[in-house]
Amino acid sequence: MSATRLLTNIGALVTVPGKGAVRGGAMGELSVTHDAAVAITNGHVSWCGSRSDWQGTAHDEVDLGGAAVVPGLVDPHTHVVWGGDRLADFEARASGVAYETILAGGGGIRHTVGETSRATTEALVGSATQRLQRMMRAGATTIEVKSGYGAGWEDECRELEVVRRLRSLVPARLEATMLFHLPPRDAAERAAYLHAATNEWIPQLASDGSASAVDIFIEREAFSVADAGQVLRAARRAGLSCKAHTDQFHALGGTELAIAHGALSVDHLESSGPDQVAALAAGNTVGVVLPGVSLHLGLPAAPGRALVDSGAIVAVGTDCNPGSSPLFSMAMAMALGVRLNGLSPAESLTACTANAAAALGLPDVGRIAPGMCADLLVLRSADWRDLPYTLGDDVVQRVFIAGTELS
Ligand code: NIG
Ligand code: FE
């Protein structure tokens, strides 16, 4: 076999065995090969295994000095396109004002919508590029990016246009999602909004290809379960994948609704109880937990342990956004998944790789195996467990995306 590049002298090559999403206790079973090598051809892994088993030739050999190598991390949930900041909210919350109270008073997300709509497209592209660069340095090689801070439909489409432009500026794979974040507050405007969303906007998204999934925030201060049913039904009809922000503050039935619509994922789950855990265990929808939100807002953590124990598919994301989770590091999200959500280190690695890829419907990322995209991280340690163990240090030494090293 002839490869473009051979990564050699890998102290421990760590990946998730099998294919597709990993459910329940199997999330804790990793494949670890000592003294390994990985061959890369045309941006994909063409071979991997014990170094002594490699029999081919390579144009270029890279000696990794005995370091551990893990799959590039997949961030299944971010809102990195935003204008302005939420520093005043942060101070208010630190003095005891609740996130929901700020939102009900017209601030919070609505403040960011105003700031984002006033920002130029160039400014949004520039700030999001810098955020994505930090996220890649911290190990994310595939990143989902949601709209959701648009002041109306045209403005939401502008956010998706920003994502399209970002694709030529950063090497990470970017998955675009249209997020229906907040409905108009006036009842008549809300009905007109839902009518347009289901009859015009969602079909438009499906035909122009600007987003692969539709997400909706189901909460007292956002969309009701009935509203969300209309939107998710329209998304399915249009052939788009479905996602939902559910059970963040109240378990209103959004998780069950999204599962019934075959959603790829339900995200947040801080208020999920045994019924929601059982619904996830019985279905194929991925439960995405977002420990940065629990940390930043002081919310209860989503029941990661109960979800794994019941046999559900669990992923972890940063939810990088200015209001509920200013977290830029998937390495830190993995570490928090252990501390806050009760995952084992191995389960948290699976949650940040193979299962996060499943939450995006991507079959070719999240593992190091022949045919997969050559997205991988070289750690500053020979033991992969230093990645979920370490807090706030730079454990990721080198990042390869499609076989090319991030400079
Ligand atoms: O995922 N929960 C709703 N939406 C975002 C927060 C957005 C914001 O506060 O700006 C979330 O937490
Ligand atoms: Fe979110």
Side-chain angles (χ1 to χ4, degrees):
M1 181 186 288
S2 158
T4 319
R5 168 168 274 181
L6 187 72
L7 306 180
T8 60
N9 198 8
I10 297 171
L13 177 65
V14 181
T15 188
V16 179
K19 283 189 172 153
V22 186
R23 194 179 268 291
M27 284 178 61
E29 292 159 20
L30 298 179
S31 148
V32 181
T33 309
H34 293 287
D35 196 10
V38 175
I40 297 170
T41 309
N42 296 330
H44 287 75
V45 174
S46 46
W47 177 90
C48 58
S50 284
R51 181 164 57 158
S52 58
D53 290 343
W54 167 251
Q55 306 212 315
T57 55
H59 287 291
D60 168 32
E61 272 198 31
V62 184
D63 184 327
L64 298 183
V69 167
V70 301
L73 307 182
V74 177
D75 193 338
H77 185 140
T78 84
H79 310 243
V80 294
V81 180
W82 78 77
D85 66 58
R86 296 275 279 283
L87 298 172
D89 281 15
F90 178 49
E91 284 189 320
R93 285 194 310 92
S95 73
V97 186
Y99 178 91
E100 283 185 284
T101 308
I102 295 171
L103 181 55
I109 297 170
R110 292 189 196 276
H111 172 80
T112 300
V113 167
E115 298 262 55
T116 305
S117 68
R118 282 188 288 278
T120 64
T121 303
E122 281 60 39
L124 294 176
V125 169
S127 58
T129 302
Q130 287 183 17
R131 289 173 193 136
L132 290 170
Q133 278 163 350
R134 272 134 72 193
M135 296 171 91
M136 290 186 293
R137 265 284 136 237
T141 52
T142 295
I143 303 173
E144 187 251 21
V145 182
K146 300 177 194 295
S147 72
Y149 293 126
W153 179 246
E154 298 300 322
D155 221 26
E156 292 290 356
C157 293
R158 186 172 74 119
E159 284 199 53
L160 294 179
E161 169 60 17
V162 169
V163 180
R164 197 187 62 75
R165 286 177 52 178
L166 290 168
R167 288 200 178 103
S168 60
L169 297 171
V170 299
R173 261 165 268 287
L174 303 182
E175 280 294 298
T177 298
M178 169 60 70
L179 169 62
F180 290 93
H181 212 168
L182 294 179
R185 297 172 107 182
D186 172 82
E189 280 180 42
R190 185 182 184 120
Y193 178 96
L194 282 169
H195 186 269
T198 50
N199 292 293
E200 295 165 32
W201 303 339
I202 288 174
Q204 178 192 321
L205 285 177
S207 66
D208 69 19
S210 56
S212 49
V214 166
D215 191 348
I216 185 159
F217 181 24
I218 304 172
E219 192 46 72
R220 285 189 189 158
E221 289 300 326
F223 290 92
S224 67
V225 173
D227 292 346
Q230 292 184 45
V231 169
L232 296 181
R233 203 168 304 116
R236 279 174 79 189
R237 222 176 17 235
L240 294 166
S241 299
C242 297
K243 290 176 159 284
H245 282 62
T246 63
D247 303 351
Q248 183 179 6
F249 298 100
H250 307 95
L252 303 175
T255 293
E256 294 86 333
L257 174 89
I259 293 170
H261 280 284
L264 277 179
S265 72
V266 285
D267 304 43
H268 275 284
L269 311 177
E270 292 89 342
S271 297
S272 296
D275 290 350
Q276 291 74 42
V277 168
L280 277 160
N284 293 321
T285 296
V286 180
V288 178
V289 303
L290 306 166
V293 177
S294 302
L295 184 67
H296 188 63
L297 297 188
L299 292 181
R305 182 75 262 135
L307 285 165
V308 173
D309 288 344
S310 69
I313 306 161
V314 179
V316 169
T318 61
D319 196 9
C320 181
N321 77 75
S324 70
S325 184
L327 175 61
F328 293 81
S329 164
M330 268 304 283
M332 178 66 107
M334 187 191 302
L336 294 175
V338 176
R339 273 66 166 204
L340 300 182
N341 302 104
L343 302 181
S344 72
E347 289 163 353
S348 203
L349 182 74
T350 300
C352 293
T353 55
N355 281 2
L360 297 178
L362 298 178
D364 56 353
V365 296
R367 283 181 170 87
I368 301 171
M372 303 296 279
C373 295
D375 299 347
L376 41 91
L377 310 180
V378 181
L379 305 185
R380 287 188 203 285
S381 169
D383 192 326
W384 70 271
R385 293 173 300 180
D386 269 312
L387 185 59
Y389 167 76
T390 306
L391 298 172
D393 193 11
D394 196 7
V395 192
V396 177
Q397 182 193 152
R398 303 170 75 170
V399 178
F400 288 83
I401 302 179
T404 301
E405 185 165 7
L406 196 63
S407 49

